[in-house]
Amino acid sequence: MLVTGKELLDHANKHGYAVGAFNVNNMEIVQAIIEAAEETNSPVILQASQGGIKYAGVEYIAQLGKVAAEKAKVPVALHLDHGTDFQQIMLCIRHGFTSVMIDGSKYPLKENIDITKKVVEVAHAVGVSVEAELGKIGGTEDDITVDEREATFTDPDEAKLFVDETGVDSLAVAVGTAHGVYKGEPKIDFERIRTIKKLVGIPLVLHGSSGVPAEAIKKAVEAGINKINIDTDLRIAFTKAMKEFLRDNPDNIDPRKILNPAREAMKEVIIEKMHLFGSSGRA
Ligand code: G3H
Ligand code: ZN
């Protein structure tokens, strides 16, 4: 069933686990996520990035997400990931997204508060949840790149002010992760997560979570993370399985045969993540 992001994340916050938010671009990815969620009896968030919307179109993404959610035996939220523009956020709400992110992290604090407040006012009026971002998460997610030298950790006192002023439902924090493939091992500032959580109380979101070692993910959840974003790990699983299939079956020209192993490979990765995040059995 289709639910709001707030519904899922408030439950996770209360019970100390995290909900996986996986990026979707086509039907096979959506199916892999839903099948994994049903097998593990896990709540889940389907999210579309700027690149995902550009690739598939907001109407296709929204319909895919809604059909999947309505058929699913587990609660599913449909979320806009890294929304940067007010018009696009409104369009997503109109098409049935139940959660949106306004990423104003590139702006100074005051502007970030202003744009986030504006989104919260409209979204809450129609029952849609809002995630915002404070601090700058490094790396590349589709068209958005933040240079390592420009990445800045979230300041706990600013986070408190930001949450009080905006009334946002969840907050993405910059605590040492980065989007994309890691060069070395990410160093997560768990103490910072704990401090921010103590001050704001609302669900915290970890971006750039692909490639983060299992132990670090567990510690981040214990420290107060309730939503974990995964994109790159699915891309890797998809591409690896597809390449292997084509290597072993060079004459196969059936897209269904080619895509099926990719869908299965993603599903395995997602099942593992759901166990790790503690969302299994929470649906
Ligand atoms: O917003 C999406 C995520 O933060 C995904 O990051 O591609 O490093 O898993 P990732
Ligand atoms: Zn992200």
Side-chain angles (χ1 to χ4, degrees):
M1 85 217 68
L2 185 64
V3 300
T4 65
K6 183 172 166 56
E7 205 174 305
L8 296 187
L9 298 184
D10 282 354
H11 187 269
N13 194 10
K14 197 169 162 203
H15 298 278
Y17 66 94
V19 180
F22 302 94
N23 285 80
V24 298
N25 302 291
N26 65 16
M27 184 188 76
E28 285 75 13
I29 304 176
V30 170
Q31 289 173 330
I33 298 165
I34 297 295
E35 281 176 26
E38 287 184 334
E39 264 179 43
T40 58
N41 195 31
S42 183
V44 72
I45 297 169
L46 302 175
Q47 61 182 16
S49 68
Q50 293 299 310
I53 287 178
K54 213 186 271 178
Y55 174 75
V58 65
E59 296 88 350
Y60 273 85
I61 289 278
Q63 292 303 331
L64 271 174
K66 285 190 286 183
V67 167
E70 274 149 26
K71 281 190 70 183
K73 296 182 197 79
V74 293
V76 180
L78 180 59
H79 176 74
L80 170 67
D81 187 29
H82 292 286
T84 48
D85 126 357
F86 185 78
Q87 272 75 20
Q88 186 196 51
I89 290 173
M90 295 304 109
L91 196 64
C92 286
I93 292 176
R94 187 171 158 226
H95 281 288
F97 281 60
T98 57
S99 176
V100 290
M101 176 181 187
I102 168 68
D103 179 357
S105 61
K106 65 177 178 201
Y107 300 118
L109 181 64
K110 168 85 174 73
E111 272 102 311
N112 193 356
I113 289 176
D114 289 346
I115 175 84
T116 303
K117 226 173 166 174
K118 192 171 155 191
V119 170
V120 168
E121 197 183 339
V122 185
H124 281 184
V126 290
V128 169
S129 323
V130 182
E131 171 185 336
E133 179 172 323
L134 189 64
K136 282 200 190 98
I137 296 160
T140 300
E141 164 102 41
D142 292 331
D143 299 344
I144 306 170
T145 298
V146 175
D147 192 274
E148 252 173 60
R149 285 159 303 181
E150 280 172 29
T152 43
F153 280 21
T154 308
D155 178 87
D157 294 323
E158 275 189 12
K160 166 82 178 134
L161 175 81
F162 186 88
V163 169
D164 287 349
E165 289 277 317
T166 59
V168 81
D169 301 299
S170 61
L171 184 69
V173 287
V175 290
T177 55
H179 290 122
V181 178
Y182 286 99
K183 288 187 205 102
E185 198 171 294
K187 286 200 171 42
I188 299 180
D189 188 343
F190 302 105
E191 198 45 48
R192 188 176 294 267
I193 301 175
R194 274 189 284 274
T195 309
I196 297 170
K197 185 62 172 241
K198 222 177 268 168
L199 288 168
V200 303
I202 64 169
L204 299 179
V205 183
L206 193 67
H207 282 244
S209 308
S210 295
V212 176
E215 271 318 300
I217 290 285
K218 271 193 192 157
K219 276 177 81 175
V221 174
E222 277 162 23
I225 294 292
N226 301 113
K227 174 176 180 269
I228 300 186
N229 287 11
I230 299 281
D231 188 1
T232 302
D233 277 347
L234 298 194
R235 295 183 187 199
I236 293 170
F238 184 103
T239 313
K240 186 171 173 276
M242 201 179 204
K243 278 183 185 164
E244 277 169 12
F245 179 84
L246 287 169
R247 185 199 59 211
D248 298 342
N249 304 273
D251 297 327
N252 197 299
I253 55 150
D254 184 341
R256 294 165 300 189
K257 296 261 164 30
I258 298 167
L259 287 168
N260 197 43
R263 180 169 56 190
E264 285 304 311
M266 286 187 290
K267 185 177 152 187
E268 289 316 307
V269 170
I270 299 162
I271 287 175
E272 217 175 279
K273 302 277 183 201
M274 286 171 166
H275 290 315
L276 180 62
F277 301 166
S279 67
S280 336
R282 300 287 192 167

